[in-house]
Amino acid sequence: MTVKARAQTIHEKLGPAFYDQVSPAVFPQHILRYRNDEALARIGLGGLDDREFVKHFGEFVPIPGSLKTPLALRYHGHQFGVYNPEIGDGRGFLFAQFTEAGTGRLLDLGTKGSGRTAYARTADGRLTLKGAVREVLATEMLAALNVPVSASLSVIETGEALIRSDEPSPTRSAVLVRLLHSHIRIGSFQRLAYLRQAENTEKLLRHVLRFYFSDIDPNAPMDEVIPPFLSVFTRRVAHMVAAWMVAGFVHGVMNTDNFNITGESFDFGPWRFLPHLDTGFTAAYFDQTGRYAFGRQPEAALWALCRLADCFIDYLDSEILGEALSDFYPQLESEIARLALWRLGLSPAPDKQAQAFAACLFRAAGESKIGWDLLFRDAYGGHIDPPAASPLWGRNTALAELREVLETLPARAAAPAALAAVKSAPLVTLEISVVEQLWSE
């Protein structure tokens, strides 16, 4: 039976201990800059005309059947390793929920730049138009690269002049709405553990299991559900980070409040894509120690998983909790290898062979400094076309070794015309100079 999209109020039923009811900002203008009709169709709203669209996603008139009042979600988090109990949804809120057409999955509509909440601290609760455009670019690129990611649903320019230290100011304002499987985060559990709210910790976990971990019985005893919850979530995070590594993506701010419990990339700030393989490459100018550098992203992800496990120390011994996370690196390595073959248009290979190939790929990329996106285009389908490929293929020993390995791996689609089309197309990249050029135009 086909599942139809339907508005929901599921998160509201958790109760006021998990959120604050808030009011959206009133903006002087509403100029529609972007609407994602594909994402809208997933929640049954594809038929909205632009006027209705702006009414719901710029003025935040409630969607019939969903939340009557926006909810600013409560959470804490480690920010660059330092615990912060004063954060939460400071410039965003949960606006609506839907079951997804076809799958029946629960989806959230969350905002960014929709006004100040009690957690805004000294910030103005706004988003720059440039920040909104950057988020659209990031989500679309990551989706194309097979990375678990939120969908940018809308961008509406709001007619305010904002002052920012990292942009020429005054700069234009906007409000963004994203579509995400869940806005519940590692930090949601951290807050409850910090406040010693054991009853609410259990309530939140059982809610999470009921709606996002269907293979785990939400009514089983806590000591029976925590290990499989951590284990499944660990695999989800390993898959997401592996996808980042193959995409050449640097999130930039891997704080624990930026990990949602469904394992999707979201809330994009100072993200970057690699120009070439550089394990020390950082996205954020304020990441002066390189905590979230490209090559340290797996380490940062596992550290965040450990902080989630800490939330359950009153229920289980630390050794049992640690064991539930033990599959992270094996899963990460396996997923990197699998996804590298996928991005290169190659057929799947046995895990051992795939991992040996991935090691060869990363070694060649590091030694040659070939452009990261150029490497994948040149090698797509396992065949290097010298006239169109980088001259580095003929000069670098590591790339020559990689080329020999590539020739032993079959392409997923052997049609010469299809492979030629990929290789002759303009290089698609979102390296920072390209992003800045797009904005300047």
Side-chain angles (χ1 to χ4, degrees):
M1 183 177 67
T2 302
V3 179
K4 294 184 178 180
R6 188 173 64 178
Q8 299 286 356
T9 58
I10 288 169
H11 197 89
E12 190 174 48
K13 296 170 186 175
L14 271 170
F18 298 89
Y19 54 76
D20 296 273
Q21 293 185 331
V22 295
S23 298
V26 177
F27 299 112
Q29 289 183 311
H30 299 91
I31 307 168
L32 178 58
R33 296 300 186 191
Y34 175 79
R35 60 177 285 167
N36 186 335
D37 288 314
E38 182 180 351
L40 284 166
R42 293 165 56 189
I43 54 174
L45 297 180
L48 292 179
D49 62 30
D50 285 352
R51 183 187 59 80
E52 294 172 311
F53 188 89
V54 169
K55 181 178 73 173
H56 290 306
F57 302 126
E59 300 172 13
F60 296 104
V61 173
I63 296 172
S66 194
L67 304 173
K68 294 181 179 179
T69 305
L71 307 178
L73 305 189
R74 298 178 179 180
Y75 50 85
H76 291 174
H78 280 88
Q79 300 186 306
F80 284 82
V82 179
Y83 192 78
N84 189 345
E86 298 181 359
I87 60 175
D89 275 343
R91 60 170 175 172
F93 47 65
L94 181 62
F95 174 59
Q97 292 184 294
F98 282 84
T99 48
E100 184 177 32
T103 69
R105 291 193 315 159
L106 182 62
L107 295 177
D108 289 352
L109 276 66
T111 68
K112 191 173 184 178
S114 51
R116 285 175 52 83
T117 75
Y119 308 104
R121 293 171 286 171
T122 60
D124 61 12
R126 278 14 183 210
L127 173 67
T128 68
L129 178 61
K130 183 178 182 181
V133 170
R134 281 175 48 84
E135 183 138 344
V136 172
L137 292 173
T139 54
E140 289 296 308
M141 186 69 163
L142 290 174
L145 290 171
N146 205 21
V147 178
V149 63
S150 62
S152 297
L153 191 73
S154 67
V155 173
I156 294 175
E157 189 172 357
T158 53
E160 296 177 314
L162 305 178
I163 304 299
R164 294 291 186 267
S165 61
D166 56 354
E167 287 188 35
S169 296
T171 188
R172 294 150 71 183
S173 62
V175 62
L176 176 141
V177 178
R178 76 169 70 91
L179 194 63
L180 186 67
H181 194 13
S182 177
H183 282 81
I184 298 171
R185 313 147 191 259
I186 289 178
S188 306
F189 285 98
Q190 287 185 288
R191 173 182 168 272
L192 300 174
Y194 177 87
L195 297 174
R196 308 296 296 173
Q197 294 183 2
E199 183 177 340
N200 282 333
T201 296
E202 180 173 347
K203 185 175 185 179
L204 182 61
L205 179 58
R206 296 193 186 284
H207 171 90
V208 164
L209 298 179
R210 185 166 291 110
F211 294 103
Y212 307 105
F213 290 76
S214 59
D215 291 337
I216 303 174
D217 180 4
N219 299 311
M222 285 287 281
D223 60 350
E224 293 181 13
V225 298
I226 292 169
F229 162 65
L230 290 174
S231 180
V232 173
F233 182 53
T234 293
R235 291 197 293 273
R236 290 179 180 179
V237 172
H239 170 65
M240 177 184 73
V241 176
W244 291 357
M245 302 303 282
V246 174
F249 179 71
V250 187
H251 184 279
V253 189
M254 295 175 66
N255 298 333
T256 56
D257 56 295
N258 284 336
F259 285 84
N260 77 334
I261 49 84
T262 46
E264 295 154 290
S265 322
F266 79 109
D267 201 9
F268 299 92
W271 57 267
R272 295 284 190 276
F273 281 93
L274 291 177
H276 55 80
L277 183 57
D278 175 3
T279 57
F281 183 81
T282 56
Y285 68 89
F286 46 83
D287 187 4
Q288 297 177 353
T289 66
R291 180 183 180 90
Y292 299 140
F294 175 74
R296 296 183 67 185
Q297 289 184 128
E299 172 191 344
L302 181 56
W303 192 89
L305 289 166
C306 290
R307 303 293 73 78
L308 176 62
D310 290 344
C311 299
F312 302 107
I313 197 67
D314 289 342
Y315 298 91
L316 289 168
D317 182 84
S318 60
E319 186 174 341
I320 297 174
L321 295 170
E323 178 62 27
L325 311 181
S326 63
D327 197 37
F328 177 77
Y329 276 111
Q331 187 73 16
L332 176 87
E333 292 165 3
S334 179
E335 285 294 284
I336 286 175
R338 183 182 67 82
L339 292 167
L341 290 170
W342 174 87
R343 187 176 179 188
L344 285 165
L346 300 172
S347 296
D351 199 51
K352 186 175 181 180
Q353 180 187 6
Q355 290 194 39
F357 166 71
C360 180
L361 175 73
F362 276 77
R363 182 170 60 253
E367 291 184 16
S368 67
K369 301 301 179 186
I370 188 172
W372 187 254
D373 294 316
L374 181 61
L375 166 63
F376 282 90
R377 191 189 69 174
D378 282 357
Y380 191 81
H383 172 70
I384 310 301
D385 181 14
S390 167
L392 284 171
W393 289 95
R395 298 201 301 258
N396 184 269
T397 302
L399 283 177
E401 293 174 356
L402 174 61
R403 183 174 183 174
E404 291 180 5
V405 177
L406 282 166
E407 291 174 353
T408 68
L409 299 170
R412 281 201 309 273
L419 296 176
V422 171
K423 292 177 179 295
S424 62
L427 180 66
V428 178
T429 181
L430 279 183
E431 191 268 324
I432 186 60
S433 62
V434 175
V435 174
E436 292 298 326
Q437 181 63 32
L438 288 171
W439 176 250
S440 68
E441 295 175 354

mmCIF file of all heavy atoms in Angstrom, residues 412-427:
data_model
loop_
_atom_site.group_PDB
_atom_site.id
_atom_site.type_symbol
_atom_site.label_atom_id
_atom_site.label_comp_id
_atom_site.label_asym_id
_atom_site.label_seq_id
_atom_site.Cartn_x
_atom_site.Cartn_y
_atom_site.Cartn_z
ATOM 1 N N ARG A 412 30.599 0.147 -13.696
ATOM 2 C CA ARG A 412 29.200 -0.226 -13.492
ATOM 3 C C ARG A 412 28.452 -0.221 -14.812
ATOM 4 O O ARG A 412 27.645 -1.096 -15.082
ATOM 5 C CB ARG A 412 28.522 0.757 -12.516
ATOM 6 C CG ARG A 412 28.806 0.539 -11.063
ATOM 7 C CD ARG A 412 27.737 1.176 -10.187
ATOM 8 N NE ARG A 412 27.472 2.558 -10.518
ATOM 9 C CZ ARG A 412 28.136 3.598 -10.036
ATOM 10 N NH1 ARG A 412 29.147 3.392 -9.207
ATOM 11 N NH2 ARG A 412 27.818 4.832 -10.370
ATOM 12 N N ALA A 413 28.677 0.800 -15.607
ATOM 13 C CA ALA A 413 28.042 0.914 -16.921
ATOM 14 C C ALA A 413 29.149 0.979 -17.964
ATOM 15 O O ALA A 413 29.949 1.912 -17.972
ATOM 16 C CB ALA A 413 27.179 2.160 -16.992
ATOM 17 N N ALA A 414 29.216 -0.031 -18.810
ATOM 18 C CA ALA A 414 30.342 -0.140 -19.740
ATOM 19 C C ALA A 414 30.132 0.624 -21.039
ATOM 20 O O ALA A 414 31.005 0.637 -21.901
ATOM 21 C CB ALA A 414 30.609 -1.605 -20.058
ATOM 22 N N ALA A 415 28.967 1.270 -21.214
ATOM 23 C CA ALA A 415 28.671 1.968 -22.469
ATOM 24 C C ALA A 415 29.688 3.078 -22.703
ATOM 25 O O ALA A 415 29.760 4.027 -21.913
ATOM 26 C CB ALA A 415 27.271 2.545 -22.432
ATOM 27 N N PRO A 416 30.488 3.006 -23.746
ATOM 28 C CA PRO A 416 31.517 4.018 -24.003
ATOM 29 C C PRO A 416 30.963 5.433 -24.098
ATOM 30 O O PRO A 416 31.589 6.381 -23.626
ATOM 31 C CB PRO A 416 32.126 3.563 -25.334
ATOM 32 C CG PRO A 416 31.845 2.098 -25.406
ATOM 33 C CD PRO A 416 30.516 1.923 -24.735
ATOM 34 N N ALA A 417 29.792 5.577 -24.698
ATOM 35 C CA ALA A 417 29.219 6.909 -24.856
ATOM 36 C C ALA A 417 28.898 7.549 -23.511
ATOM 37 O O ALA A 417 29.108 8.750 -23.303
ATOM 38 C CB ALA A 417 27.959 6.833 -25.711
ATOM 39 N N ALA A 418 28.396 6.727 -22.571
ATOM 40 C CA ALA A 418 28.059 7.248 -21.243
ATOM 41 C C ALA A 418 29.311 7.687 -20.503
ATOM 42 O O ALA A 418 29.338 8.747 -19.869
ATOM 43 C CB ALA A 418 27.312 6.189 -20.446
ATOM 44 N N LEU A 419 30.366 6.889 -20.569
ATOM 45 C CA LEU A 419 31.615 7.248 -19.903
ATOM 46 C C LEU A 419 32.226 8.492 -20.526
ATOM 47 O O LEU A 419 32.737 9.377 -19.830
ATOM 48 C CB LEU A 419 32.599 6.079 -19.972
ATOM 49 C CG LEU A 419 32.177 4.801 -19.236
ATOM 50 C CD1 LEU A 419 33.205 3.698 -19.460
ATOM 51 C CD2 LEU A 419 32.009 5.065 -17.746
ATOM 52 N N ALA A 420 32.173 8.555 -21.844
ATOM 53 C CA ALA A 420 32.740 9.713 -22.543
ATOM 54 C C ALA A 420 31.996 10.991 -22.170
ATOM 55 O O ALA A 420 32.602 12.064 -22.041
ATOM 56 C CB ALA A 420 32.691 9.483 -24.046
ATOM 57 N N ALA A 421 30.684 10.884 -21.971
ATOM 58 C CA ALA A 421 29.894 12.063 -21.607
ATOM 59 C C ALA A 421 30.305 12.611 -20.254
ATOM 60 O O ALA A 421 30.384 13.827 -20.056
ATOM 61 C CB ALA A 421 28.408 11.708 -21.615
ATOM 62 N N VAL A 422 30.572 11.717 -19.304
ATOM 63 C CA VAL A 422 31.003 12.148 -17.975
ATOM 64 C C VAL A 422 32.343 12.861 -18.066
ATOM 65 O O VAL A 422 32.557 13.940 -17.488
ATOM 66 C CB VAL A 422 31.101 10.948 -17.014
ATOM 67 C CG1 VAL A 422 31.770 11.367 -15.705
ATOM 68 C CG2 VAL A 422 29.721 10.370 -16.748
ATOM 69 N N LYS A 423 33.271 12.289 -18.822
ATOM 70 C CA LYS A 423 34.628 12.826 -18.869
ATOM 71 C C LYS A 423 34.723 14.130 -19.664
ATOM 72 O O LYS A 423 35.607 14.953 -19.417
ATOM 73 C CB LYS A 423 35.571 11.782 -19.457
ATOM 74 C CG LYS A 423 35.762 10.578 -18.549
ATOM 75 C CD LYS A 423 36.643 9.539 -19.215
ATOM 76 C CE LYS A 423 36.846 8.342 -18.300
ATOM 77 N NZ LYS A 423 37.596 8.689 -17.078
ATOM 78 N N SER A 424 33.820 14.323 -20.608
ATOM 79 C CA SER A 424 33.875 15.530 -21.429
ATOM 80 C C SER A 424 33.065 16.680 -20.846
ATOM 81 O O SER A 424 33.173 17.817 -21.305
ATOM 82 C CB SER A 424 33.365 15.220 -22.843
ATOM 83 O OG SER A 424 31.998 14.803 -22.804
ATOM 84 N N ALA A 425 32.261 16.400 -19.833
ATOM 85 C CA ALA A 425 31.435 17.447 -19.224
ATOM 86 C C ALA A 425 32.310 18.405 -18.425
ATOM 87 O O ALA A 425 33.387 18.039 -17.940
ATOM 88 C CB ALA A 425 30.387 16.808 -18.314
ATOM 89 N N PRO A 426 31.880 19.649 -18.256
ATOM 90 C CA PRO A 426 32.634 20.584 -17.420
ATOM 91 C C PRO A 426 32.797 20.033 -16.004
ATOM 92 O O PRO A 426 31.897 19.368 -15.482
ATOM 93 C CB PRO A 426 31.770 21.845 -17.425
ATOM 94 C CG PRO A 426 30.929 21.737 -18.658
ATOM 95 C CD PRO A 426 30.682 20.267 -18.850
ATOM 96 N N LEU A 427 33.934 20.304 -15.395
ATOM 97 C CA LEU A 427 34.189 19.821 -14.039
ATOM 98 C C LEU A 427 33.225 20.487 -13.065
ATOM 99 O O LEU A 427 33.104 21.713 -13.038
ATOM 100 C CB LEU A 427 35.630 20.135 -13.641
ATOM 101 C CG LEU A 427 36.047 19.686 -12.231
ATOM 102 C CD1 LEU A 427 36.046 18.164 -12.135
ATOM 103 C CD2 LEU A 427 37.419 20.250 -11.871
#
